[in-house]
Amino acid sequence: MSNATSLQWIMPPTQAGFDPATSHTARFLASFPNITHLSYFSHFLCPEVQVYFMSFFQNLRKCTFSLWGTNGLMYFFSGHGPQINLSQLEEIWIEECEPAGAMDWLLDNVLHNAPYPIRIRKLGWEFRDPPFSSDTFARLIGMVRGTLEELCFRPPWTPDGLEDCEAPPFGFNVLPVLRILSFRILYLSYESDRIMHWLNSIFAGFPSCPCLQRLEFAFYLAKSENINTVSAFDFLDWKSLLEDRYPSLKVLEFEMMMEDEEAFDVAERKRVETIVRQSTRMANSKKFVMQWSRAR
């Protein structure tokens, strides 16, 4: 197993007898010394468990997380693995995270006090619950702003709608090497006006990105009425901001994810595309793309 470079670890939430600190588990984890991509799907127990688990992999370049709620479980952990080393980590992708903010431990317990530079190049999630609290997210982006090339995120969400329509409190003005910025997935079936307000807030407070080449949006349309939110939105409000803050922008892409393709006729799609294309036309040269696809 020493030659393996990718590991997927799944710990079911019903596995009550699992103890990550046993010598048997430690020996098993230590038998994978060359893992560079770790996929970790687990019931969230406590930050110490996550840190302990990751400490066995000293060459990580990519981490994929899926953490879900505690269901009232209280877990006390005192195991100690090797000193954690994420000096080579370049990519973090969060597929699922419950409860909201459950990934704050990554910054607070690991990266914040790391004795080595943090060089994350790609960071993102699409799931409805934000893995980081707003303040933690802003601090994390600030920490890696010198190396961050790709960023994907979406509005915070609660069962009652959008939790917070304001932008994270970014304490810096420039993301110097960011090349791709994506907003996925924007569910227009609920609280569509607040989502568009959130986008306005983001662009008003987001750092400038002199190297940004690609700006992407993915909208989820549950019914035909949702399309009116996009076509009626005043993209001209963004135009001057885009031209000023993203002078290197080459591609502006909109993905329209339809729950029911038959509810959106071809003529209506073309009408919306024309409106958005014209209102986002900027002085600097760029490619406009609008794709229509069935929701996954």
Side-chain angles (χ1 to χ4, degrees):
M1 293 185 287
S2 61
N3 294 326
T5 58
S6 181
L7 175 66
Q8 183 180 83
W9 183 274
I10 301 175
M11 191 175 80
T14 56
Q15 196 166 354
F18 176 79
D19 183 355
T22 63
S23 58
H24 175 75
T25 302
R27 286 196 300 271
F28 179 76
L29 295 177
S31 67
F32 295 93
N34 295 310
I35 297 299
T36 58
H37 180 193
L38 174 64
S39 297
Y40 186 54
F41 302 88
S42 170
H43 189 267
F44 184 81
L45 299 175
C46 67
E48 290 76 15
V49 172
Q50 325 305 328
V51 174
Y52 171 83
F53 185 84
M54 293 178 66
S55 69
F56 284 90
F57 310 105
Q58 301 289 308
N59 301 300
L60 289 178
R61 295 185 180 276
K62 178 180 179 180
C63 286
T64 303
F65 293 97
S66 184
L67 300 174
W68 53 91
T70 62
N71 295 324
L73 175 66
M74 296 297 292
Y75 190 90
F76 299 96
F77 181 76
S78 59
H80 297 284
Q83 179 67 39
I84 191 167
N85 180 5
L86 298 180
S87 60
Q88 299 184 60
L89 185 63
E90 296 182 343
E91 183 173 350
I92 298 175
W93 183 257
I94 297 109
E95 293 191 351
E96 184 176 359
C97 184
E98 294 180 2
M103 288 292 297
D104 281 2
W105 62 269
L106 185 62
L107 179 62
D108 296 335
N109 294 53
V110 180
L111 302 180
H112 179 69
N113 295 316
Y116 42 78
I118 305 300
R119 300 186 177 92
I120 295 173
R121 295 174 48 248
K122 299 180 182 180
L123 172 65
W125 72 87
E126 296 180 2
F127 196 66
R128 64 171 184 260
D129 289 318
F132 305 102
S133 62
S134 184
D135 288 347
T136 301
F137 176 60
R139 288 191 294 123
L140 176 58
I141 298 302
M143 173 181 285
V144 301
R145 64 183 182 275
T147 57
L148 189 64
E149 298 179 10
E150 298 183 24
L151 176 62
C152 175
F153 66 110
R154 48 150 296 153
W157 175 264
T158 66
D160 297 325
L162 284 177
E163 184 179 65
D164 184 358
C165 283
E166 304 306 319
F170 297 111
F172 48 92
N173 298 321
V174 181
L175 287 171
V177 296
L178 191 70
R179 297 184 299 105
I180 301 175
L181 176 60
S182 304
F183 298 99
R184 307 176 58 93
I185 298 170
L186 305 172
Y187 289 86
L188 294 186
S189 51
Y190 307 100
E191 302 286 349
S192 57
D193 291 339
R194 298 183 70 189
I195 288 179
M196 303 309 279
H197 173 78
W198 179 84
L199 282 173
N200 268 335
S201 176
I202 286 292
F203 282 114
F206 201 77
S208 62
C209 305
C211 295
L212 190 73
Q213 298 183 9
R214 190 178 189 94
L215 181 59
E216 303 173 343
F217 302 88
F219 292 101
Y220 181 93
L221 309 173
K223 50 188 178 181
S224 59
E225 290 83 357
N226 298 147
I227 204 171
N228 296 326
T229 302
V230 179
S231 60
F233 188 75
D234 190 1
F235 288 97
L236 293 175
D237 289 344
W238 294 356
K239 188 174 181 181
S240 60
L241 284 174
L242 296 179
E243 289 178 331
D244 180 54
R245 297 187 183 183
Y246 312 134
S248 301
L249 188 64
K250 292 181 171 59
V251 179
L252 182 60
E253 179 175 318
F254 293 82
E255 182 179 0
M256 317 302 283
M257 304 169 64
M258 303 168 290
E259 187 170 297
D260 180 8
E261 290 181 284
E262 296 181 359
F264 301 87
D265 61 66
V266 175
E268 184 67 5
R269 299 182 198 181
K270 289 184 177 180
R271 183 185 70 83
V272 172
E273 181 173 344
T274 299
I275 292 174
V276 178
R277 180 192 297 271
Q278 291 178 347
S279 60
T280 57
R281 182 175 295 145
M282 295 186 291
N284 53 319
S285 176
K286 71 175 188 304
K287 179 181 179 181
F288 177 91
V289 179
M290 181 171 283
Q291 301 180 9
W292 298 80
S293 61
R294 188 178 185 86
R296 297 185 291 272

